[in-house]
């Protein structure tokens, strides 16, 4: 829009990343118990989809791509919505596809840790950002995002902290799922570290710092002294 870069402080679309931290391992333990209840072996590579089961999120594409990838693993759907019955019907009889209902925000740090990878395959319209990516990355989870997920361009670095596929392209998503489910554990662990590190740039603290920078710069340009605490 013609505004010079030096006049654009970075105040990111943010979450409270500290709420998704797990310093004592309690969230990981909760997720492990949950996995056991679902019948997912401890060592099984798992992908989580958490969100409304509605057309713009494309859960049917997620299930189809998982079926086509031809690789042992597990898929967990977390949420409810108008497509729930269709998704459940197509997954009927499968022991590698699991369903959990909508979960309160207080449970989400454990929900994201149910999987090794988080997927948001949205095709839109209306997926303007997708804060679930921020949340999953804050939990140290590499992410898979559709190209029409608004935040994918800024958050996801291919093969570094996740993957992006062309929204609606089932073969591309299947190929990425194949890679996520078969890559070496050390590679996935490095991606998890990179995801958590990147999420820190999109924190409430980073947003506050950007707003502060803008306000102070605006005031300095006009000769206004910054406010000080009494």
């Amino acid at each position: 829009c013609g505004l010079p870069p030096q006049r654009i402080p970075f105040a990111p679309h943010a979450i409270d990343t500290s709420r998704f931290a797990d310093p004592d391992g309690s969230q990981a333990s909760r997720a492990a118990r949950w996995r056991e209840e679902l019948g997912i072996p401890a060592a099984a590579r798992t992908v989580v989809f958490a969100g409304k089961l509605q057309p713009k999120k494309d859960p049917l594409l997620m299930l189809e791509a998982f079926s086509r990838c031809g690789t042992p693993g597990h898929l967990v759907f977390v949420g409810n919505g108008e497509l729930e019955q269709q998704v459940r019907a197509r997954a009927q009889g499968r022991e590698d596809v699991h369903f959990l209902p909508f979960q309160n925000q207080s449970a989400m740090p454990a929900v994201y840790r149910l999987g090794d990878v988080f997927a948001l395959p949205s095709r839109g319209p209306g997926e303007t950002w997708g804060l679930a990516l921020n949340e999953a990355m804050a939990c140290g989870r590499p992410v898979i995002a559709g190209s029409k997920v608004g935040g994918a361009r800024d958050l996801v670095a291919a093969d570094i902290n996740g993957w992006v596929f062309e929204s609606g392209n089932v073969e591309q998503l299947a190929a990425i799922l194949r890679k996520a489910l078969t890559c070496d554990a050390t590679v996935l662990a490095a991606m998890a570290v990179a995801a958590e590190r990147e999420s820190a740039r999109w924190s409430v603290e980073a947003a506050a710092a950007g707003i502060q920078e803008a306000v102070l710069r605006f005031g300095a340009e006009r000769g206004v002294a910054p406010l000080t605490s009494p």
Side-chain angles (χ1 to χ4, degrees), residues 29-104:
S29 296
R30 183 180 180 185
R33 292 192 299 270
W34 222 339
R35 281 172 60 105
E36 186 176 1
E37 291 171 7
L38 290 170
I40 302 174
R45 195 71 62 84
T46 304
V47 179
V48 168
F49 171 108
K52 293 180 180 178
L53 300 179
Q54 58 183 199
K56 83 170 185 178
K57 302 282 188 183
D58 225 350
L60 290 169
L61 181 87
M62 184 75 227
L63 179 59
E64 178 63 21
F66 180 72
S67 299
R68 291 192 190 192
C69 79
T71 304
H74 288 255
L75 172 61
V76 182
F77 285 100
V78 184
N80 303 107
E82 61 196 274
L83 293 178
E84 181 177 355
Q85 292 308 313
Q86 282 184 253
V87 178
R88 284 181 175 272
R90 293 191 187 184
Q92 189 172 8
R94 297 190 60 156
E95 295 184 354
D96 56 354
V97 181
H98 313 269
F99 293 87
L100 289 171
F102 167 83
Q103 300 295 316
N104 187 278

Side-chain angles (χ1 to χ4, degrees), residues 39-209:
I40 302 174
R45 195 71 62 84
T46 304
V47 179
V48 168
F49 171 108
K52 293 180 180 178
L53 300 179
Q54 58 183 199
K56 83 170 185 178
K57 302 282 188 183
D58 225 350
L60 290 169
L61 181 87
M62 184 75 227
L63 179 59
E64 178 63 21
F66 180 72
S67 299
R68 291 192 190 192
C69 79
T71 304
H74 288 255
L75 172 61
V76 182
F77 285 100
V78 184
N80 303 107
E82 61 196 274
L83 293 178
E84 181 177 355
Q85 292 308 313
Q86 282 184 253
V87 178
R88 284 181 175 272
R90 293 191 187 184
Q92 189 172 8
R94 297 190 60 156
E95 295 184 354
D96 56 354
V97 181
H98 313 269
F99 293 87
L100 289 171
F102 167 83
Q103 300 295 316
N104 187 278
Q105 272 292 311
S106 62
M108 293 309 294
V111 166
Y112 291 119
R113 289 176 171 86
L114 286 170
D116 304 280
V117 177
F118 174 76
L120 185 62
S122 302
R123 69 184 188 200
E127 193 70 272
T128 52
W129 184 266
L131 282 172
L133 292 181
N134 298 62
E135 295 176 352
M137 292 171 71
C139 292
R141 293 303 181 263
V143 296
I144 300 170
S147 59
K148 292 187 178 179
V149 176
R153 181 180 301 185
D154 292 301
L155 291 170
V156 186
D159 294 312
I160 302 299
N161 60 21
W163 303 271
V164 178
F165 72 98
E166 181 186 355
S167 291
N169 190 321
V170 68
E171 292 300 338
Q172 278 190 14
L173 178 54
I176 287 172
L177 286 171
R178 196 175 301 118
K179 183 184 293 188
L181 292 170
T182 60
C183 69
D184 189 87
T186 58
V187 172
L188 200 62
M191 293 181 72
V193 171
E196 188 170 1
R197 184 183 301 122
E198 178 64 18
S199 78
R201 296 183 59 243
W202 303 80
S203 65
V204 170
E205 292 79 8

